[in-house]
Amino acid sequence: MTLLRAKIPALPARLEGLAALAVNLSWSWHRQARALFRRIDEPTWRLSHHNPIEVLRATPAARFEVLAKDGDFCSHYDQVMAWFDAEQISVDGWFTEQYPEIGADRPVAYFCAEFGLHSSVPIYSGGLGVLAGDHCKTASDLAVPFVGIGLFYKKGYFDQQVTPLGWQEDSDEVLNPDTTPLIPVMGSDGTPWVTILNTFGRAVHIGAWTMRVGRAPIYLLDTDLELNHPDDRSLTSKLYSGGAEMRLRQEWILGTGGVRVLRALQINPAAWHANEGHAAFMMMERVRELVGSGTAMPDAISAVRRSTIFTTHTPVPAGHDAFDVAQVAECAGPAYLEDFGDAAEQAVAFGVHPRGHPREFQMTVLAIHLAGHVNGVAQRHGVVSRQLWGDLWSDRPEAEVPIGAVTNGVHLATWMANPFMRLLDYHLGDDWGFRLDDTEIWSAVLGLDAREVWHTHVELKRALIRYLREEARRKWRDEWSEAAQVVAAGALLDPTVFTIGFARRFATYKRANLMFSDVERLRKIVTSTTRPVQVIVAGKAHPQDTPGKEILQSIYHFTRDPVFEGRVAFLEDYDMHLAHMLVQGVDIWLNVPRVPLEASGTSGMKAALNGVPQLSTIDGWWEEGYNGKNGWAIPKAGPDEDADTVDAEHLYQLLEKEIIPLWYEKDADGIPRRFVQTMKEAIRVAGSKFTARRMMQDYVQRYYAPILRGDPFVDDPPL
Ligand SMILES: *Cc1c(COP(=O)(O)O)cnc(C)c1O
């Protein structure tokens, strides 16, 4: 309670539970809880982008006194607290029903460099983090024994501003932990550190914060402690910044420090999951522990392999961290390596590809050596990963390389908009949320009334446009110097016009500029007098990605060019909040990665859950998600064709000949019936196959449960 006091002012006894509710992120995917906070102070709720702690901090005591006597508010509060308290105590759910024999005392430990849970805790950069966040929420929903490990980045990723000329400027905002749900973990005897780790010859004290995600705790490691050398205090301050050495040290803290923090807190995981190679030192540390306590090296490796899952997330080479072997040895230090005894050289060689450069230490190679269970994130990405990493198993045919696939999914209650949930409540019964494994409920979506689906969508589209006008108005007042910036931010957008959404990181392979490759053709499409089109673009380029920033600038140029009539917009600072607004409010979701570089992609799933069909190249999840009726696919370019040219041609043709005419084909009541059919099919497919619930069930059935239960393990190691 005293720790909460720093964040949240004293509340009347009648409403005391609001404090505990606000610091457990489960409010974020519980509609009634969100509504409760909104009700306290709607403007602060909106302006803080839905941060309940800021709402509680901004609300004067007198207002709480009034609310405590408001019968309607109190009964709403009681309902939410009844749900919250029951869920805190209960350990029951899908997992305990399916696996009554597995106890809850030995959890799955899930390591990831970023977690995207809510925009009020900005410690993520994009898809990887949001996926990890959705994974944790689902672990809580399904009652999987689970603990997350990550880093606390006080400066987050970075904030994006775009100059009037379209150049991305990056700035850091320092997060005040008091306005986040993070609570410091105290070490033994009240010290602010939990464990100690050597890196580059210096001892670093590691502190930790807990973030409650429903029933699942996440521990976020932090080196910003007075006890530490000034240079070490900033080690964990920013996500994906700095050079190789900084990255190496961060990953060292995440992996090695993460294991030690779990040990110090006496949490004893039975299964260990590295979400992407950044966390792979976690495996090496566990081998070291075993060897240090007398286990022979081969047995230690085998014990770690049987209990470790590694999920690889990208076929793009820049996505796989590589360091110099000597640098890794220096980071670890002699004392660490001594624990391996004679096998110290072998330990460092875990990260070296036997057919690669002998001095290159690759995190993915380390992870594949020490994880007995490896998977990609869509069926196609499984195939691509077997091609990429198959030669670690020498002359094995690709099909026999033991890398599997679990297709990503998105957390339904996080990403589906309230109005659509209400529509489903009404037609499927209030309990549909408890029948999600029943495919019937998803087929029933096809029977929804087209008019209701359409009006629900239009309501969300209006909300998006209202929101971006409000943002433009505020920034015009506070930040911007030129009226053109207001136009660029979408102030002239019209809710009755067909709207294309494109938002993602500005990595070059995602080809944000594909749509703009024939400017004159796009201008004709956009400015048609009978069937005009709008385009909304958002996304950040990594601060060191100059080509990505140049693409962003070239697009920004069109937003302010009068020939586009203010129908192309660029929205700054893409984050989860903006992602929500966009995936719920545009008419079609555009996704054009260069095949086969998108491992999965998840924003299209979020859009589909809200009846926004995807138009995409056949890559990532779309290869298995597209069924001819739930959106549109850009056919694969032939081996001798220039993919950028033919993909752009297909994109324009689909828009001109099929999609735009279909959207404008409205009946006497103004409902585009055939387009709505595609919208319903998009919801049906996403809801039945591409939710985080289905994804988590796959991970549990294939990996977590067999490990937690101690099933026999047939190892198939590389080499
Ligand atoms: C879902 C999401 C992403 C990932 O989208 P992709 O389709 O995988 O590119 C990135 N950023 C944010 C904020 C998201 O919500």
Side-chain angles (χ1 to χ4, degrees):
M1 237 23 230
T2 48
L3 289 174
L4 281 189
R5 203 46 92 221
K7 293 181 191 297
I8 295 171
L11 295 164
R14 180 69 179 88
L15 302 176
E16 211 170 46
L18 287 171
L21 187 67
V23 296
N24 186 325
L25 282 167
S26 60
W27 65 260
S28 71
W29 73 96
H30 189 269
R31 276 183 279 169
Q32 281 73 24
R34 287 198 302 254
L36 186 70
F37 287 118
R38 187 184 311 121
R39 207 166 160 173
I40 296 174
D41 178 356
E42 205 276 335
T44 305
W45 174 255
R46 198 159 25 92
L47 292 173
S48 70
H49 289 179
H50 307 177
N51 183 338
I53 298 174
E54 296 218 30
V55 168
L56 297 184
R57 288 163 74 92
T59 303
R63 165 92 180 131
F64 282 120
E65 292 307 332
V66 172
L67 289 172
K69 293 191 189 89
D70 174 340
D72 213 39
F73 183 86
C74 287
S75 85
H76 184 174
Y77 167 85
D78 290 338
Q79 270 174 29
V80 172
M81 292 314 294
W83 153 77
F84 182 67
D85 293 338
E87 182 164 285
Q88 295 295 299
I89 306 164
S90 162
V91 291
D92 296 332
W94 175 86
F95 183 86
T96 49
E97 281 159 26
Q98 298 288 313
Y99 304 97
E101 73 280 14
I102 299 177
D105 54 326
R106 308 254 351 243
V108 176
Y110 180 84
F111 284 59
C112 191
E114 47 171 314
F115 285 93
L117 288 141
H118 190 260
S119 52
S120 58
V121 195
I123 55 169
Y124 61 93
S125 80
L128 178 71
V130 177
L131 181 89
D134 282 3
H135 197 83
C136 296
K137 291 172 184 173
T138 312
S140 170
D141 291 344
L142 300 189
V144 178
F146 193 86
V147 47
I149 293 284
L151 299 180
F152 175 50
Y153 307 102
K154 193 158 284 167
K155 294 184 182 164
Y157 189 43
F158 70 91
D159 295 315
Q160 177 192 53
Q161 280 94 36
V162 178
T163 68
L165 291 177
W167 193 248
Q168 170 181 305
E169 295 196 328
D170 323 317
S171 64
D172 298 331
E173 203 175 307
V174 180
L175 196 61
N176 174 7
D178 285 346
T179 63
T180 72
L182 270 57
I183 295 177
V185 177
M186 290 297 159
S188 51
D189 55 41
T191 51
W193 57 278
V194 180
T195 191
I196 295 189
L197 186 65
N198 276 301
T199 129
F200 287 94
R202 228 170 15 229
V204 180
H205 294 78
I206 315 255
W209 303 78
T210 352
M211 178 160 61
R212 300 283 323 175
V213 183
R215 300 184 265 198
I218 300 183
Y219 293 96
L220 298 175
L221 280 46
D222 187 0
T223 61
D224 186 15
L225 301 173
E226 277 174 21
L227 291 155
N228 284 334
H229 188 282
D231 294 350
D232 295 338
R233 290 187 64 168
S234 58
L235 277 178
T236 54
S237 70
K238 278 184 77 173
L239 173 60
Y240 302 148
S241 72
E245 185 175 312
M246 184 64 152
R247 286 287 282 262
L248 172 59
R249 294 175 128 209
Q250 285 193 338
E251 294 181 14
W252 184 250
I253 290 165
L254 174 66
T256 313
V259 174
R260 295 193 188 177
V261 164
L262 287 169
R263 301 298 186 213
L265 299 173
Q266 297 181 356
I267 296 168
N268 191 13
W272 303 73
H273 188 166
N275 196 42
E276 194 44 297
H278 312 125
F281 286 127
M282 161 266 272
M283 309 173 195
M284 196 153 128
E285 167 67 0
R286 286 159 49 230
V287 173
R288 184 201 64 82
E289 287 180 333
L290 289 167
V291 173
S293 62
T295 310
M297 187 76 160
D299 296 339
I301 294 173
S302 148
V304 168
R305 284 181 57 80
R306 78 169 54 231
S307 55
T308 304
I309 304 126
F310 166 54
T311 303
T312 174
H313 280 268
T314 179
V316 180
H320 296 269
D321 283 317
F323 304 108
D324 189 279
V325 168
Q327 210 180 15
V328 173
E330 203 188 331
C331 176
Y336 179 91
L337 293 173
E338 266 163 32
D339 279 350
F340 286 98
D342 303 342
E345 239 164 70
Q346 194 190 343
V348 177
F350 287 143
V352 178
H353 196 304
R355 275 160 293 285
H357 194 289
R359 288 193 39 202
E360 192 181 46
F361 186 103
Q362 300 182 63
M363 296 303 279
T364 302
V365 172
L366 170 68
I368 293 177
H369 272 134
L370 295 181
H373 315 267
V374 181
N375 73 285
V377 290
Q379 301 311 310
R380 174 169 182 89
H381 181 231
V383 174
V384 172
S385 300
R386 290 192 282 277
Q387 283 164 6
L388 269 178
W389 303 105
D391 61 347
L392 281 171
W393 280 264
S394 306
D395 303 323
R396 184 94 54 112
E398 242 159 60
E400 288 169 32
V401 170
I403 298 180
V406 174
T407 303
N408 284 343
V410 296
H411 187 248
L412 181 106
T414 295
W415 292 106
M416 189 185 262
N418 280 349
F420 268 109
M421 297 235 205
R422 281 197 295 271
L423 188 65
L424 297 189
D425 289 345
Y426 189 72
H427 289 281
L428 308 179
D430 282 342
D431 67 336
W432 66 274
F434 297 98
R435 294 186 285 126
L436 292 169
D437 297 327
D438 175 0
T439 47
E440 299 265 299
I441 67 163
W442 295 111
S443 310
V445 168
L446 298 181
L448 293 176
D449 179 38
R451 176 196 303 262
E452 289 182 37
V453 171
W454 182 247
H455 287 308
T456 305
H457 169 67
V458 168
E459 178 189 342
L460 289 163
K461 188 171 175 184
R462 288 185 185 282
L464 165 67
I465 291 182
R466 199 178 323 118
Y467 168 75
L468 50 94
R469 284 194 189 144
E470 196 176 309
E471 285 289 294
R473 208 185 307 281
R474 191 181 54 73
K475 290 188 177 172
W476 175 228
R477 184 193 65 199
D478 296 342
E479 293 170 29
W480 289 337
S481 54
E482 290 187 24
Q485 291 174 286
V486 181
V487 174
L492 295 180
L493 295 184
D494 175 347
T496 66
V497 166
F498 178 67
T499 303
I500 301 172
F502 181 98
R504 51 206 11 102
R505 287 184 300 112
F506 263 66
T508 45
Y509 80 89
K510 295 196 183 238
R511 297 191 296 185
N513 49 350
L514 192 73
M515 199 183 355
F516 297 87
S517 53
D518 182 340
V519 176
E520 184 47 27
R521 191 162 175 186
L522 181 68
R523 189 194 64 77
K524 284 205 179 104
I525 294 173
V526 163
T527 59
S528 157
T529 45
T530 46
R531 297 187 302 217
V533 171
Q534 306 174 140
V535 184
I536 304 181
V537 182
K540 295 176 178 177
H542 186 280
Q544 282 146 19
D545 180 9
T546 306
K549 289 185 181 178
E550 284 165 358
I551 292 177
L552 195 160
Q553 181 168 39
S554 71
I555 292 175
Y556 194 85
H557 172 76
F558 301 118
T559 65
R560 45 179 297 156
D561 184 341
V563 305
F564 279 93
E565 302 175 356
R567 295 194 191 276
V568 178
F570 182 89
L571 308 182
E572 287 179 337
D573 224 19
Y574 182 49
D575 69 350
M576 286 180 76
H577 185 70
L578 185 53
H580 269 108
M581 304 299 296
L582 286 171
V583 297
Q584 296 169 359
V586 298
D587 294 306
I588 196 165
W589 195 251
L590 182 66
N591 180 51
V592 285
R594 190 175 287 125
V595 180
L597 296 181
E598 188 68 275
S600 166
T602 50
S603 56
M605 303 174 187
K606 303 168 192 168
L609 277 181
N610 292 288
V612 174
Q614 182 171 245
L615 160 57
S616 172
T617 43
I618 304 180
D619 202 10
W621 79 283
W622 204 228
E623 177 144 326
E624 61 204 273
Y626 174 62
N627 69 1
K629 295 185 288 188
N630 61 340
W632 290 270
I634 294 170
K636 276 183 198 164
D640 304 325
E641 291 177 313
D642 174 53
D644 290 351
T645 310
V646 294
D647 289 356
E649 179 59 30
H650 281 129
L651 168 63
Y652 290 129
Q653 286 202 14
L654 277 168
L655 286 170
E656 291 161 344
K657 299 215 167 86
E658 284 192 41
I659 303 170
I660 300 168
L662 193 70
W663 193 87
Y664 277 104
E665 179 192 295
K666 295 185 180 165
D667 69 9
D669 297 327
I671 316 287
R673 300 227 166 232
R674 290 205 297 147
F675 193 88
V676 173
Q677 201 52 37
T678 307
M679 294 171 64
K680 290 196 236 174
E681 185 68 16
I683 301 177
R684 186 188 70 78
V685 171
S688 56
K689 294 202 192 126
F690 297 98
T691 61
R693 185 178 175 93
R694 191 275 308 141
M695 168 178 73
M696 178 59 86
Q697 289 171 338
D698 285 351
Y699 275 109
V700 169
Q701 281 152 4
R702 247 178 266 173
Y703 304 122
Y704 296 168
I707 296 172
L708 297 181
R709 206 163 42 201
D711 286 1
F713 171 64
V714 184
D715 202 0
D716 186 6
L719 294 174

